[in-house]
Amino acid sequence: MTEAARVLALLAERGQTLAVAESLTGGLVAAELTGVPGASASFRGSVTAYATALKHELLGVDAALLAERGAVDPEVASQMAAGVRARLGADWGLATTGVAGPDPQDGQPVGTVYVAVAGPAGGVFRTGSPEEIPVGSPTGKVVPLRLNGDRGEIRRESVRIVLELLREELSGNVRAQDTEQNGGN
């Protein structure tokens, strides 16, 4: 079973949904998920925000943050995951941003990648605009990566790792729910 199939099975078991925001992976995460039969039961959709401005316009990433740090930043990844989760009405949001090469970007070397997950735990994500987007910051996580390889390898490894991150979050949440339901035993 592929990582995408594992993630979708866990989501289906829980009756939850997923949305994806992609930059450096350019739709590869969505392609991996939609390659699994029955993906539509849990996969809401994706936004490929390759241009920096679209990260703000479509996903609600803070424009000042993007201007100050650029698109390759852990907080940008976090805001992308939270934004796609809110905008597409999903329980979970994933995001990828980074530098696949061949040239550095925003002062970051090739292979610098941030993957993020935002879950359904609640909280409010402040965009710096009058609009506030509810998110799951208590269950959110950003993982910094330094990947080696050519452009294709960096992109494929980013896909694998972001799906693995979500599977780990879902599995951890299942264990926490079981403990809660069984009185902490």
Side-chain angles (χ1 to χ4, degrees):
M1 181 182 284
T2 66
E3 197 67 44
R6 284 184 201 92
V7 162
L8 289 167
L10 285 167
L11 288 164
E13 284 173 21
R14 299 167 66 132
Q16 293 183 327
T17 57
L18 171 65
V20 178
E22 300 187 66
S23 186
L24 90 148
T25 51
L28 293 175
V29 177
E32 191 74 14
L33 290 163
T34 58
V36 176
S40 61
S42 297
F43 183 58
R44 300 267 309 149
S46 65
V47 173
T48 301
Y50 208 65
T52 299
L54 292 179
K55 290 171 181 63
H56 170 70
E57 294 165 11
L58 298 177
L59 300 170
V61 176
D62 183 7
L65 173 68
L66 289 166
E68 181 183 321
R69 298 190 204 163
V72 183
D73 181 82
E75 183 62 24
V76 170
S78 177
Q79 290 186 21
M80 287 173 65
V84 79
R85 177 180 171 262
R87 297 257 159 76
L88 273 60
D91 297 298
W92 293 88
L94 290 181
T96 63
T97 188
V99 185
D103 300 316
Q105 178 187 336
D106 297 333
Q108 300 286 345
V110 172
T112 302
V113 176
Y114 298 97
V115 296
V117 60
V124 173
F125 171 62
R126 302 195 187 280
T127 64
S129 70
E131 177 183 17
E132 291 184 346
I133 302 172
V135 300
S137 54
T139 61
K141 184 183 279 188
V142 178
V143 176
L145 306 171
R146 295 279 187 239
L147 302 175
N148 295 314
D150 64 23
R151 182 176 177 79
E153 291 166 330
I154 290 168
R155 294 173 75 216
R156 284 189 298 276
E157 187 67 0
S158 299
V159 171
R160 185 189 69 75
I161 292 170
V162 78
L163 290 172
E164 188 176 90
L165 174 64
L166 178 58
R167 180 184 46 79
E168 290 169 359
E169 288 295 305
L170 288 167
S171 297
N173 259 336
V174 167
R175 283 191 298 275
Q177 284 178 349
D178 285 348
T179 301
E180 226 173 76
Q181 290 171 356
N182 294 316
N185 296 324

